[in-house]
Amino acid sequence: MAGLPRDEAGTAASYASLARPLLLPTWLIIGVFLLLPVLLMVVYSFLTKEFRGGVEWTFTLAAYEQFFVTRGLFGDEPPSIEWTYIIIFWRSIWQAALATLLCLVIGFPTAWFIATRPPQSRGIWLFLITIPYWVNLLIRTVSLRFILRDNGPLNDALIVTGLIDAPLPILNSDVAVQIGLFYSYLPFMVLPIYAAVERFEFALSEAAADLYANRWQVMLHVVLPAVRPGILAGTILVFIPALGAFLAPDLLGGAKAFMIGSLIDEQFRGSQGNWPFGAAISVILMTLVLIALFIQARAASRGAS
Amino acid sequence: MKGVRHYPGFLAITLVCLAVLYVPLLVVAVYSFNASTSITKWGGFSLRWYVDVFTGPEAERFGLATWNSLTIALIAASIATAVAMSAALAMIRGGRFRGRGASYALINLPLMVPEMVVAVATLIFFTTIGLTTGYLTIVLAHITFCIPFAYLPIAARLSGIEDSYEQAARDLYATRWQAFRLVLLPLLGPGLMSGWLLAFIISLDDFIITNFVKGAGMETLPTAIFGSVKQGIKPNIMAISSLMLLVSILFVSLSYIINRRGRRAAP
C-alpha cells in the first residue's frame, strides 16, 4: 500500500508524544461515522420490521429467515430453502468473478507493457490508465448505457459494417452488466500489477532464458510467482466493488439482471422497504467480502513462504 | 536484454485497454455537440446543449445541485485533508505506539467496506440518532470516506521528507509549532495539495452513499443526473457529463503535476 511507511516505525519519532492526540480526529470521525454505523447495522439486521419502513427494537431472526427460508406464499407450508435471494447472490458472485477474470486478461499484459517502458514514458502511460478511474463512475456508466442502446452507436456501427442485420438487444441483460463491471474496475487491476512488475528483478528472467527456458516458460515459472502479490491485490480490488456494485446493474441490467446492490437499495426505498432485511443482506455481503479478503491474505502468505 | 521483457501482442492488448477506457468517454463528448434534439440522430455540430445547461428548463435544478456538490466537496475535502495530515504525522513521525496497527486499519476502513454497505450503515446510524438526512449528513459521510484518499498522497510525501530538517530547526530553538509551520508544512505542501484535490474529486463523484443520506428534496450533481437518466438520456445530460469529465481530468492532471513537481523539487 502506498501509504504504509516503509519500515521506519520507531526511527522517525519526532511526533511520538503527540501520536495519540494527532490520531484523535481520525478515530472520532471514522470511528463514529463508519465503524459505529457498521456495528449498528449488524444490530439492525436482528430487529423487527415495522410496516412503514421503520423498525421496532425487538430482537428476531426474521430478516435472515426471509433470506434463506420460505414457507410458501401464505406462510403455512413446511419451511424449505428460499432460492430467490441466493440466486441473486450467486449471479453477483459469478458476474464479479467473470469481470475480475476479464480485467486480469486485459490488465496483466497492459501493466506488463507499461512497466517495461523506459522510466520517462511510464508516467504518461500510467497517467492515461488512471484518468478514467477519476472520472465519475455514474457518467461512465451512463455513457455505456448510451452506447449499448438498441439504436445506439455500437449497434449502428455493427449494422453499418454489415456484421449484423438487426440491432443486438445488449442493454438490460447480464452481458451489459458484465461490460459495465469490466469497464468500471479495469484500472483497479492494472495499477497493482504494474507496481509488482516494476519491482520485478528482470535478471531472474534473463537467467531462466539463459538456461533455455522459452518466453512463456519464463512467464509461467519465473515471473508469475514473483508478481503474484500484485495479481492478488488487483483481483481483490476488482472483485469486492464489483460484488456490491449498484450503478452497472441498475443502469445497464434492468430487472432481469438484478444484483446484490440493487437488492439492498430496494429495501431502503419508500414505504415498500424493509430496513432490517436490507441490513441483513448488507451483513451477508460484508461476510462474503471478509471471506474474499481472508482467502486473499492466505494466498498471499502462502506465496510468500 | 529486451527479449525477456518483450511479449508479442502485449502492445496490442494495451491499446485495446486504452480504447475500452476512452471510447465511451469520447462518444459522450462527441454527442454533447450534437445539434439534434434526439440523442439517436447526428444533426451536425452545435453548442446548443451547453447553452441549454446554463439557460434551459433544467438549468436551475442542475445549478443548485452543482452548487451543493461543490460546497460539499470543498468542506469535506478541506476537513478530510486536515484530519489526514494529522493522522499521517502520527503514523509516520509517531514512532511505535500501541494502537498503531489498529489506527492504520481504521484509516483504510472506508476503502475496505463495500460502498453499498457504507451507505446502508450510515443511513441507519443517522436515522437512529435522529439526525434528519440532508446537507449536513452528506457532508459528514463525505468527510469520512475522503480521509483515506487524502491520506495516501500526504503519507507518501511525508515519508519522503527527512526528519532532520525539523530537528535542525528545533536545535536552533524553534518551537515545535514553528518547526512544523515554517519547515515541515512548506515541504509537505504538494502532498497536501494533491491529497485535497483527490478528496475533492472523490466527494464530487460520489453517488451511492450520497443517494442514501441526502434525504428528500436535496440533490447533488450525481444524484440529479441519475434522476434525469432514469427517465431516459437527454442531450443536455451529455453536455453536463462532458463538463464534469473536463473538470475531473483537469483536477487529476493538476494533482499529478503538483505531485511530480513536488517530487522533483524534494530535497
Side-chain angles (χ1 to χ4, degrees):
Chain A
M1 292 253 167
L4 192 64
R6 282 174 296 266
D7 53 14
E8 71 268 78
T11 57
S14 53
Y15 286 84
S17 58
L18 288 174
R20 289 187 187 176
L22 282 170
L23 278 167
L24 190 66
T26 309
W27 276 93
L28 276 180
I29 294 178
I30 301 184
V32 172
F33 295 112
L34 185 58
L35 192 57
L36 194 63
V38 167
L39 298 176
L40 185 65
M41 180 187 81
V42 177
V43 174
Y44 235 74
S45 70
F46 292 104
L47 296 184
T48 310
K49 173 199 177 213
E50 212 205 45
F51 62 96
R52 268 175 294 112
V55 288
E56 272 171 46
W57 284 79
T58 334
F59 285 87
T60 165
L61 284 171
Y64 292 95
E65 213 183 288
Q66 182 182 349
F67 190 95
F68 290 110
V69 183
T70 177
R71 290 196 163 79
L73 203 54
F74 303 103
D76 53 358
E77 291 167 34
S80 58
I81 297 176
E82 168 69 88
W83 289 105
T84 317
Y85 307 114
I86 296 174
I87 287 171
I88 293 174
F89 263 69
W90 176 244
R91 183 188 297 127
S92 302
I93 294 171
W94 202 86
Q95 287 274 41
L98 184 62
T100 310
L101 186 69
L102 288 177
C103 285
L104 184 62
V105 167
I106 298 290
F108 182 86
T110 305
W112 178 277
F113 178 82
I114 296 173
T116 53
R117 292 307 92 201
Q120 314 89 286
S121 56
R122 261 178 234 170
I124 298 297
W125 284 99
L126 211 55
F127 182 58
L128 286 175
I129 297 286
T130 345
I131 280 189
Y133 164 71
W134 294 110
V135 169
N136 197 315
L137 184 60
L138 171 64
I139 290 183
R140 294 174 25 181
T141 313
V142 169
S143 72
L144 279 186
R145 183 173 156 120
F146 174 76
I147 289 171
L148 299 177
R149 279 173 315 132
D150 284 0
N151 44 10
L154 179 68
N155 272 315
D156 283 354
L158 289 175
I159 290 173
V160 167
T161 52
L163 284 169
I164 53 171
D165 300 321
L168 293 173
I170 305 171
L171 201 61
N172 298 329
S173 71
D174 282 337
V175 177
V177 176
Q178 181 56 232
I179 294 173
L181 293 176
F182 165 72
Y183 173 62
S184 300
Y185 304 116
L186 182 56
F188 289 143
M189 185 61 91
V190 178
L191 298 178
I193 297 180
Y194 163 81
V197 176
E198 203 202 15
R199 280 196 300 268
F200 178 66
E201 196 55 71
F202 278 97
L204 293 173
S205 300
E206 278 150 24
D210 286 346
L211 296 168
Y212 302 104
N214 71 34
R215 222 191 279 286
W216 301 104
Q217 284 170 325
V218 171
M219 178 61 85
L220 195 64
H221 299 296
V222 181
V223 176
L224 281 184
V227 300
R228 214 172 106 113
I231 295 176
L232 286 171
T235 304
I236 272 298
L237 286 178
V238 173
F239 183 76
I240 288 181
L243 190 63
F246 170 71
L247 285 172
D250 191 76
L251 287 174
L252 306 170
K256 274 182 290 178
F258 224 60
M259 278 174 61
I260 302 175
S262 318
L263 182 64
I264 294 175
D265 185 71
E266 207 184 52
Q267 308 311 320
F268 293 89
R269 294 281 149 251
S271 56
Q272 296 293 306
N274 182 342
W275 287 32
F277 187 51
I281 304 167
S282 303
V283 170
I284 297 169
L285 170 62
M286 220 167 58
T287 311
L288 284 182
V289 166
L290 287 178
I291 292 172
L293 284 171
F294 180 73
I295 293 173
Q296 189 241 9
R298 268 196 50 172
S301 66
R302 193 149 31 94
S305 59
Chain B
M1 294 299 108
K2 199 182 166 221
V4 289
R5 288 162 203 249
H6 179 76
Y7 281 81
F10 278 22
L11 169 63
I13 295 177
T14 305
L15 295 178
V16 167
C17 178
L18 287 175
V20 164
L21 290 175
Y22 282 92
V23 165
L25 304 181
L26 287 176
V27 168
V28 167
V30 167
Y31 272 83
S32 69
F33 294 109
N34 190 357
S36 164
T37 22
S38 130
I39 51 164
T40 315
K41 295 268 178 298
W42 177 255
F45 178 89
S46 151
L47 289 174
R48 65 180 283 199
W49 298 113
Y50 286 90
V51 176
D52 182 87
V53 167
F54 295 101
T55 59
E58 286 192 300
E60 199 184 336
R61 179 164 158 261
F62 280 117
L64 192 62
T66 307
W67 172 253
N68 289 336
S69 272
L70 289 176
T71 53
I72 288 167
L74 190 74
I75 299 170
S78 304
I79 296 178
T81 305
V83 172
M85 182 186 73
S86 156
L89 281 175
M91 296 301 286
I92 295 187
R93 291 286 152 85
R96 281 179 215 282
F97 56 92
R98 262 187 65 190
R100 191 174 184 278
S103 300
Y104 186 73
L106 193 77
I107 293 168
N108 284 300
L109 190 66
L111 302 177
M112 304 307 258
V113 183
E115 244 189 311
M116 206 67 202
V117 176
V118 177
V120 166
T122 317
L123 174 66
I124 287 175
F125 174 72
F126 286 138
T127 311
T128 306
I129 64 169
L131 202 56
T132 315
T133 47
Y135 195 90
L136 178 66
T137 52
I138 302 180
V139 171
L140 290 172
H142 279 218
I143 294 171
T144 309
F145 68 69
C146 280
I147 290 175
F149 288 95
Y151 177 83
L152 290 177
I154 297 174
R157 175 81 188 162
L158 187 60
S159 51
I161 301 171
E162 297 210 21
D163 204 22
S164 46
Y165 297 102
E166 254 189 302
Q167 273 162 15
R170 295 296 301 276
D171 287 347
L172 296 166
Y173 302 105
T175 63
R176 183 189 284 282
W177 171 244
Q178 284 172 325
F180 169 74
R181 189 169 56 90
L182 300 171
V183 179
L184 188 59
L185 202 58
L187 288 170
L188 202 53
L192 291 173
M193 198 61 214
S194 105
W196 186 88
L197 287 169
L198 294 188
F200 189 86
I201 284 284
I202 286 291
S203 163
L204 210 58
D205 279 5
D206 180 70
F207 168 74
I208 295 178
I209 295 166
T210 312
N211 193 35
F212 264 71
V213 300
K214 75 184 174 63
M218 178 75 193
E219 298 283 0
T220 65
L221 199 46
T223 64
I225 292 177
F226 183 80
S228 229
V229 166
K230 273 297 199 179
Q231 286 144 30
I233 305 176
K234 278 168 281 169
N236 62 341
I237 292 295
M238 308 299 243
I240 294 179
S241 299
S242 303
L243 288 174
M244 283 185 80
L245 207 77
L246 200 67
V247 170
S248 297
I249 291 174
L250 246 129
F251 267 72
V252 178
S253 306
L254 209 60
S255 160
Y256 175 80
I257 291 166
I258 289 171
N259 223 351
R260 234 177 117 131
R261 191 162 297 160
R263 210 176 306 144
R264 210 174 300 141

